[in-house]
């Protein structure tokens, strides 16, 4: 799967943007400290909204790393994609491998309504908080033999 690039700066959601977002592609870097400020990140489980090419809007309650100082949310790409595979393997295996983009977050009650299946795409967008921006970081350099 390849995470898509956001087209321009158009906002999808009706709610104010929150959090900076980094989809971490490095399986050997878990960012227990913040790549921006160096502070310790906390674990935060929250509903991510994912747009998949089909198109589908998906609401996934996912544990992320979070730096409260930088308002930086980090989701590990491998974990995220494992969740996506789990969701689609039985239902719609043809979706696996499609482009996707994590578009923002919703509040927990909204996610719970979505889980019960009584949330329309429009309601999801009405409740969606886009990310303030997408960031990228390199993992800290590792020690190596001279
Ligand atoms: Zn930070």
């Amino acid at each position: 799967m390849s995470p898509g690039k956001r087209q321009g700066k158009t906002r999808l959601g009706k709610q104010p943007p929150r959090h900076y977002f980094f989809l971490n592609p490095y399986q050997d870097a878990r960012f227990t400290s913040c790549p921006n400020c160096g502070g310790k990140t906390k674990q935060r489980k929250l509903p991510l909204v994912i747009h998949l090419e089909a198109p589908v809007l998906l609401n996934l309650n996912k544990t992320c790393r979070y730096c409260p100082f930088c308002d930086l949310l980090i989701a590990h790409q491998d974990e995220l994609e494992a969740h996506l595979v789990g969701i689609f393997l039985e239902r719609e295996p043809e979706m696996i491998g499609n482009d996707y983009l994590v578009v923002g977050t919703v509040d927990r009650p909204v996610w719970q309504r979505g889980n019960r299946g009584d949330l329309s795409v429009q309601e999801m967008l009405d409740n969606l908080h886009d990310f303030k921006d997408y960031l990228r970081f390199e993992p800290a350099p590792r020690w190596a033999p001279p």
Side-chain angles (χ1 to χ4, degrees):
M1 293 192 186
S2 62
K5 283 273 177 297
R6 189 67 179 275
Q7 306 286 321
K9 285 270 177 193
T10 327
R11 267 163 54 182
L12 278 180
K14 295 260 176 69
Q15 302 301 315
R18 58 182 180 197
H19 310 314
Y20 295 93
F21 184 70
F22 169 42
L23 184 63
N24 166 30
Y26 307 105
Q27 293 190 22
D28 57 348
R30 297 286 95 169
F31 293 101
T32 50
S33 53
C34 173
N36 195 44
C37 72
K40 271 225 164 293
T41 54
K42 301 173 186 313
Q43 278 204 346
R44 176 177 278 198
K45 191 167 191 177
L46 80 181
L48 297 177
V49 178
I50 302 165
H51 175 268
L52 275 108
E53 280 312 323
V56 173
L57 265 185
L58 195 73
N59 205 337
L60 179 72
N61 204 30
K62 167 90 183 68
T63 304
C64 300
R65 305 301 308 185
Y66 179 66
C67 175
F69 182 75
C70 302
D71 193 22
L72 173 64
L73 193 65
I74 302 170
H76 302 314
Q77 186 176 341
D78 57 335
E79 291 180 9
L80 187 78
E81 292 181 0
H83 277 291
L84 293 179
V85 168
I87 288 167
F88 289 108
L89 197 57
E90 302 249 310
R91 290 202 321 217
E92 299 167 85
E94 69 275 9
M95 292 290 293
I96 295 172
N98 286 5
D99 283 347
Y100 68 91
L101 180 66
V102 185
V103 292
T105 56
V106 289
D107 291 328
R108 191 164 302 270
V110 178
W111 168 74
Q112 283 164 340
R113 283 182 54 210
N115 256 3
R116 292 197 303 269
D118 48 0
L119 192 69
S120 70
V121 169
Q122 189 55 51
E123 285 177 293
M124 182 101 96
L125 293 176
D126 287 346
N127 288 284
L128 172 69
H129 296 261
D130 291 60
F131 293 118
K132 291 175 185 165
D133 206 354
Y134 292 82
L135 303 178
R136 287 200 76 85
F137 297 94
E138 303 287 323
R142 293 178 168 268
W143 65 284

